[in-house]
Amino acid sequence: MAAAKKIASILLSRSSSASRSFHLRRGAASGIQRFATAAVVEEEPITPPVQINHTQHLINGKFVDSASGKTFPTFDPRTGEVITHVSQGEVEDVNRAVAAARKAFDEGPWPKMTAYERSRILFRAADLIEKHNDEIAALESWDSGKTYEQSSLVEIPMVIRYMRYYAGWADKIHGLVVPADGPHHVQVLYEPIGVAGQIIPWNFPLVMFAWKVGPALACGNTVIIKTAQQTPLSALYVAKLFHEAGLPDGVLNVVSGYGPTAGAALASHMDVDKLAFTGSTPTGKVVMELAAKSNLKSVILELGGKSPMIVLEDGDVDQAVELAHSALFFNQGQCCCAGSRTFVHERVYDEFVEKSKARALKRVVGDPFRKGVEQGPQIDGDQFNRILHYIKSGIDGGASLVTGGDRLGSKGFYIQPTIFSDVKDDMIIAKEEIFGPVQSIFKFSDLDEVIRRSNASPFGLAAGVFTNNMDNANTLMRALRVGTVWINCYGVFDAALPFGGYKMSGQGREKGIDSLKAYLEVKSVVTTLKNPAWL
Ligand SMILES: NC(=O)c1ccc[n+]([C@@H]2O[C@H](COP(=O)([O-])OP(=O)(O)OC[C@H]3O[C@@H](n4cnc5c(N)ncnc54)[C@H](O)[C@@H]3O)[C@@H](O)[C@H]2O)c1
């Protein structure tokens, strides 16, 4: 019982600053209508508590229009209406941003500053983000549809924590002196790579910004980051704060625009030394090819997933239901690491399915700016249609629709929390990343079977395990071919914890010490010693 309580506190906590989970407390939501009525999403949208001040690219420390003068719209997922128009970056804008970053690296003060000075600027930037937490959170929610409570209480505080983590590293990166087989003084130096190009998705715009910009700057690199076309607003605001904190011009450049133009220009640029990409697996392959065909820049990839959430038969079923629910439905189901294959032991399967249905029916869907709402709209019409298409494929493929299965309301991109049971491994919904609020529940009989079926995926990003049996937990944590295993918790994203994928979920790691290695070159220096006193 004590263990179960501990699990609940991990799962339901609003996260300590040291070890934040992506999960919020279950919405109290008294007076808010459930998705069965749909009325709540038909109400007039709440006006977000923020003004939009920055819509141009941030290049060389200044906000500038696109060379072409073009702009593109960014939309409110609650209504599908335009929020504002943003400068549309293309090849020429990327060239300008890379030139600024190149100059700031080759001639500018950033890599030449002391590590302590760099660290202080990053700490000041984190302080400014904290000061403006609520405006930034409002921009993030307006542009992406994620709940304001999630942005303001979880994600922006996580961004601040990540920036402080990397600020702390800046003056602790040091080399080695290693023994050699001869009269040589052998040093290993860790140096910044140079100009880093970074491409991020829309599902966690600022968290992805922090995972990339933090380690790159801490190591002394300069950066051009291309935001997702769906969510350009928050990064412009935050990058401005870095400059207010004292970041020299050209060190951090933000270009808004589409993937095949601005993104491809960055990935294939001859003056970019490192490429960091987060997004879908198909686009990951494209950018890797562009990097290889241009200057063979090294690449780090954070890609898609189809992560198993494994519920063994020995635990408290109510706790397991809540954990598996949040593992899938968090952030409208738009998480790379979503627990999108819920494997449940046959002994508790029927009870689990019934209780999961009850939990999904209680999920509070509505305007993300309304207090107590757990689920906002999907990001845009493309994703909305894609998810509805997957739901149809689940029904046509013979899975049992337990609840949901349709849109919610008549405007914007809201989808009913949906559950399928009796899902078979060869169904499309069992194999492909749905990226929406659609839970698929599978039945299994024993440990070997669930290991084999969990690993039978081209993805290997993450997995969850729910059990009180530590022997089984130990077996699973070693057998699962994934980058992260959460045991009796899910979605814990500590700054010090490396995150990344096995197989087609990516290459390399972000966060933790491993992310620093991704932004450092290793140089060996050998000096001949004359008459050494010792070797
Ligand atoms: N592993 C992780 O850490 C992680 C984290 C978040 C999201 N994701 C994945 O991201 C995907 C969802 O994001 P998405 O739909 O924005 O992905 P996406 O691949 O469509 O786009 C990601 C980014 O790549 C850009 N892009 C698109 N085409 C490009 C091209 N030809 N050249 C260069 N850049 C291009 C986009 O403009 C965007 O900025 C999911 O598959 C999800 O699993 C992974």
Side-chain angles (χ1 to χ4, degrees):
M1 203 52 216
K5 273 195 188 136
K6 188 149 187 226
I7 293 162
S9 79
I10 293 167
L11 168 65
L12 301 177
S13 77
R14 270 198 197 201
S15 62
S16 73
S17 62
S19 179
R20 288 189 184 279
S21 154
F22 259 145
H23 303 293
L24 273 176
R25 202 187 304 271
R26 190 163 158 175
S30 61
I32 293 183
Q33 287 161 294
R34 309 301 178 190
F35 79 77
T37 69
V40 72
V41 300
E42 298 292 1
E43 291 169 3
E44 264 313 293
I46 293 169
T47 304
V50 64
Q51 275 200 332
I52 297 167
N53 295 327
H54 309 304
T55 57
Q56 297 165 291
H57 309 298
L58 183 50
I59 298 177
N60 207 20
K62 288 167 198 64
F63 282 109
V64 293
D65 286 331
S66 295
S68 67
K70 282 191 212 166
T71 61
F72 68 100
T74 183
F75 298 96
D76 183 340
R78 300 175 300 171
T79 58
E81 286 164 14
V82 174
I83 298 175
T84 187
H85 287 83
V86 174
S87 294
Q88 182 176 329
E90 293 176 342
V91 174
E92 187 47 36
D93 306 292
V94 170
N95 286 343
R96 282 196 287 170
V98 174
R102 186 83 260 165
K103 190 159 183 280
F105 185 78
D106 291 346
E107 302 167 23
W110 191 244
K112 296 184 180 129
M113 264 183 193
T114 67
Y116 178 52
E117 284 171 310
R118 283 205 302 269
S119 164
R120 292 191 64 192
I121 290 172
L122 297 180
F123 272 120
R124 278 203 294 271
D127 291 346
L128 287 172
I129 298 170
E130 192 165 47
K131 184 172 159 199
H132 295 281
N133 185 91
D134 292 356
E135 296 113 275
I136 299 167
L139 280 179
E140 193 79 326
S141 287
W142 196 1
D143 225 7
S144 71
K146 63 179 71 224
T147 71
Y148 180 63
E149 287 183 328
Q150 181 181 316
S151 297
S152 60
L153 299 175
V154 180
E155 291 189 28
I156 308 308
M158 274 174 127
V159 167
I160 296 159
R161 178 68 183 95
Y162 293 140
M163 290 318 307
R164 290 192 175 132
Y165 175 82
Y166 289 115
W169 264 116
D171 60 357
K172 292 165 198 71
I173 297 163
H174 52 71
L176 295 170
V177 176
V178 293
D181 290 346
H184 302 298
H185 176 61
V186 179
Q187 303 165 73
V188 181
L189 305 182
Y190 294 96
E191 301 179 341
I193 291 182
V195 174
Q198 305 180 327
I199 300 174
I200 54 175
W202 46 263
N203 57 344
F204 293 100
L206 270 186
V207 168
M208 294 297 110
F209 176 98
W211 285 16
K212 290 189 165 45
V213 169
L217 294 186
C219 294
N221 300 278
T222 59
V223 168
I224 307 99
I225 188 161
K226 191 207 81 70
T227 49
Q229 60 274 20
Q230 297 91 340
T231 51
L233 299 178
S234 56
L236 293 170
Y237 189 114
V238 168
K240 174 79 170 25
L241 297 182
F242 274 78
H243 288 83
E244 281 179 28
L247 196 74
D249 293 349
V251 173
L252 172 60
N253 305 275
V254 183
V255 175
S256 312
Y258 294 101
T261 45
L266 196 54
S268 54
H269 206 289
M270 293 298 287
D271 245 350
V272 170
D273 304 307
K274 173 87 196 181
L275 184 70
F277 172 83
T278 296
S280 63
T281 298
T283 312
K285 289 184 178 179
V286 171
V287 298
M288 193 156 185
E289 196 178 347
L290 293 173
K293 280 186 172 159
S294 50
N295 60 347
L296 214 57
K297 55 183 76 62
S298 72
V299 177
I300 178 168
L301 300 173
E302 299 284 0
L303 308 176
K306 193 74 187 172
S307 300
M309 170 68 227
I310 300 169
V311 177
L312 301 189
E313 71 276 29
D314 61 89
D316 178 295
V317 175
D318 293 316
Q319 292 286 336
V321 164
E322 188 60 36
L323 184 60
H325 178 87
S326 63
L328 183 282
F329 288 101
F330 182 75
N331 203 45
Q332 293 69 247
Q334 303 166 146
C335 299
C336 52
C337 59
S340 51
R341 291 184 292 156
T342 310
F343 284 103
V344 181
H345 192 274
E346 59 187 3
R347 225 174 287 155
V348 290
Y349 182 85
D350 291 341
E351 182 187 356
F352 184 94
V353 170
E354 265 319 297
K355 288 183 166 170
S356 296
K357 175 183 176 179
R359 176 64 183 96
L361 282 166
K362 278 203 288 187
R363 189 163 183 78
V364 185
V365 186
D367 189 320
F369 285 96
R370 189 175 298 282
K371 209 167 178 328
V373 161
E374 294 175 287
Q375 180 176 317
Q378 309 306 129
I379 183 75
D380 63 13
D382 286 350
Q383 288 295 324
F384 174 82
N385 289 326
R386 200 165 159 251
I387 295 161
L388 291 176
H389 174 79
Y390 275 120
I391 291 174
K392 183 169 180 312
S393 142
I395 295 167
D396 294 347
S400 306
L401 182 66
V402 174
T403 184
D406 208 346
R407 75 175 302 171
L408 186 58
S410 60
K411 67 176 179 197
F413 307 121
Y414 294 93
I415 292 186
Q416 296 173 351
T418 295
I419 299 181
F420 284 106
S421 65
D422 305 317
V423 182
K424 302 285 176 283
D425 295 356
D426 59 355
M427 291 176 183
I428 290 170
I429 59 166
K431 294 192 287 194
E432 296 183 13
E433 194 179 31
I434 300 175
F435 231 55
V438 182
Q439 185 175 20
S440 297
I441 308 182
F442 305 69
K443 191 189 283 187
F444 76 90
S445 310
D446 65 55
L447 218 55
D448 288 343
E449 176 200 335
V450 80
I451 290 168
R452 181 179 46 75
R453 291 170 65 193
S454 294
N455 285 339
S457 165
F459 297 113
L461 193 55
V465 173
F466 184 81
T467 182
N468 289 322
N469 181 326
M470 283 318 288
D471 292 333
N472 287 340
N474 283 328
T475 300
L476 283 166
M477 80 169 78
R478 285 169 169 75
L480 293 168
R481 305 283 300 150
V482 298
T484 299
V485 182
W486 286 295
I487 297 172
N488 296 334
C489 58
Y490 206 92
V492 176
F493 279 91
D494 197 282
L497 201 61
F499 184 77
Y502 284 31
K503 302 191 267 183
M504 285 172 74
S505 288
Q507 296 190 5
R509 294 291 180 271
E510 291 190 311
K511 299 195 289 108
I513 297 177
D514 295 75
S515 64
L516 298 168
K517 291 182 191 155
Y519 288 98
L520 292 167
E521 283 286 12
V522 183
K523 181 182 280 175
S524 297
V525 182
V526 182
T527 310
T528 295
L529 294 170
K530 287 198 177 133
N531 303 320
W534 51 268
L535 281 176

